[in-house]
Amino acid sequence: MTTNNTPLWQRDDAPYNQKSFFRACLDCWRDAIAKDNFKVVVILTYAIFALTLWKYIPAAPKFADPQTGVNLLAQNFGSGATVVVPMDGSLVHSVSVVDFLWNARKIWAAFLIMGVIPALIVKFVFHEKLSDYGVTFGVKSYTIRSFVTFAPVLLVVTILGSGDRGYYNVYPYNPMAPISHGFMIAHSLMYLLLYYTAWEFMFRGFIQLGLADRLGAVPALLVQVVASTMLHYGHPAGETFGCIAGGVLWGFLVFRTRSLVSGIGQHALMGIVLDWALTIQAL
């Protein structure tokens, strides 16, 4: 015996329980592409496959040994020396720009998978404006004020946490970046303009703002927090749990400022400072 209070999937009159498996699958597909569900289904389906793909793109060699903290520049890039001091420029002559860019493949891939393709979906599948997904300066006073308020706190947190050698299992994404100051600056700019801009657009823009009208503000925010946190599995525990707080903070700021700018700036500041700190600390 079922009542109207019984969850739909448990009810005897549930549409998928009254039909053959084939008809139920066909109706499920029709439900997915229905006008009311189409946008949500596209966003979540793309997120599932795109984020899984990015997670499994092979990372470049580790910059430093997470056990000892000793940098592996000489070992990774073929120097005759047993030790290479980070950012002394001694290996610049032995690597090319192509090598540098190839080792930044996680950054380039993020730009394409989390930035370019979702933006194309917004423009040519949903026929909507990118500004509706946070690609705007939004409420300028809130945007500037939120960055100035939170950036110093996040900077201190990053510096204090950078002593965890577990970060060397993941960062820097481009192990060639610490070879010279020039490479490190180029890496920092790529991090800001390509990686973090795309990351924030994917999670706080495409997923959160894309789902908010249909799911509601808080559920949409929590969906992107779940997705972004899961992508940090395998990272140091402090970063993974910190990702939960960061996802909530930057998700709230998107609603408050109507822009991704503040979150991009804060998130990029943390990532860039962490990479510089890890480089300086490497023996």
Side-chain angles (χ1 to χ4, degrees):
M1 175 102 183
T2 60
T3 68
N4 289 335
N5 293 326
T6 304
L8 177 62
W9 63 276
Q10 293 180 347
R11 288 166 53 178
D12 294 334
D13 61 345
Y16 303 142
N17 292 342
Q18 302 298 312
K19 300 176 181 178
S20 67
F21 179 79
F22 176 77
R23 287 292 302 278
C25 290
L26 182 61
D27 282 356
C28 185
W29 169 251
R30 289 172 175 167
D31 190 47
I33 63 175
K35 183 177 180 181
D36 289 344
N37 296 332
F38 177 71
K39 184 176 175 181
V40 171
V41 170
V42 170
I43 290 172
L44 294 179
T45 301
Y46 179 77
I48 291 169
F49 288 101
L51 298 179
T52 303
L53 172 63
W54 181 83
K55 182 68 174 180
Y56 282 96
I57 291 175
K62 293 183 178 68
F63 160 65
D65 186 334
Q67 300 299 319
T68 64
V70 175
N71 82 77
L72 303 174
L73 289 173
Q75 173 181 314
N76 290 340
F77 304 116
S79 170
T82 56
V83 176
V84 174
V85 178
M87 295 193 293
D88 69 355
S90 62
L91 287 177
V92 172
H93 67 280
S94 64
V95 301
S96 66
V97 173
V98 174
D99 293 328
F100 176 82
L101 294 177
W102 170 243
N103 278 275
R105 53 187 173 271
K106 294 285 280 190
I107 296 174
W108 286 106
F111 179 64
L112 175 64
I113 294 171
M114 301 183 198
V116 174
I117 296 177
L120 292 176
I121 292 174
V122 169
K123 291 292 291 183
F124 299 106
V125 178
F126 300 155
H127 303 289
E128 295 176 348
K129 298 180 292 184
L130 290 175
S131 58
D132 293 335
Y133 289 75
V135 185
T136 173
F137 211 81
V139 183
K140 294 182 180 179
S141 60
Y142 289 160
T143 297
I144 295 172
R145 192 185 312 162
S146 62
F147 179 81
V148 172
T149 299
F150 291 107
V153 177
L154 297 174
L155 179 61
V156 172
V157 170
T158 302
I159 293 174
L160 292 177
S162 64
D164 185 347
R165 288 179 177 170
Y167 284 117
Y168 288 127
N169 283 313
V170 185
Y171 304 115
Y173 275 136
N174 188 347
M176 278 191 174
I179 286 177
S180 70
H181 285 87
F183 276 9
M184 198 66 183
I185 292 171
H187 168 71
S188 299
L189 291 174
M190 290 174 64
Y191 229 15
L192 168 62
L193 300 175
L194 303 183
Y195 180 77
Y196 284 109
T197 298
W199 181 283
E200 289 300 312
F201 177 73
M202 179 70 189
F203 291 102
R204 264 60 82 172
F206 185 66
I207 296 178
Q208 178 177 312
L209 296 181
L211 298 178
D213 287 344
R214 182 67 171 163
L215 302 186
V218 173
L221 185 151
L222 293 177
V223 168
Q224 63 85 3
V225 171
V226 169
S228 61
T229 300
M230 292 181 69
L231 224 56
H232 283 77
Y233 288 175
H235 293 210
E239 181 186 13
T240 304
F241 282 99
C243 177
I244 299 173
V248 172
L249 170 64
W250 296 321
F252 172 77
L253 289 180
V254 167
F255 288 138
R256 178 66 169 166
T257 67
R258 303 177 189 173
S259 169
L260 298 170
V261 172
S262 182
I264 291 171
Q266 294 171 43
H267 202 172
L269 176 67
M270 295 182 73
I272 292 169
V273 168
L274 177 62
D275 277 4
W276 279 83
L278 294 174
T279 297
I280 292 170
Q281 291 169 15
L283 301 178

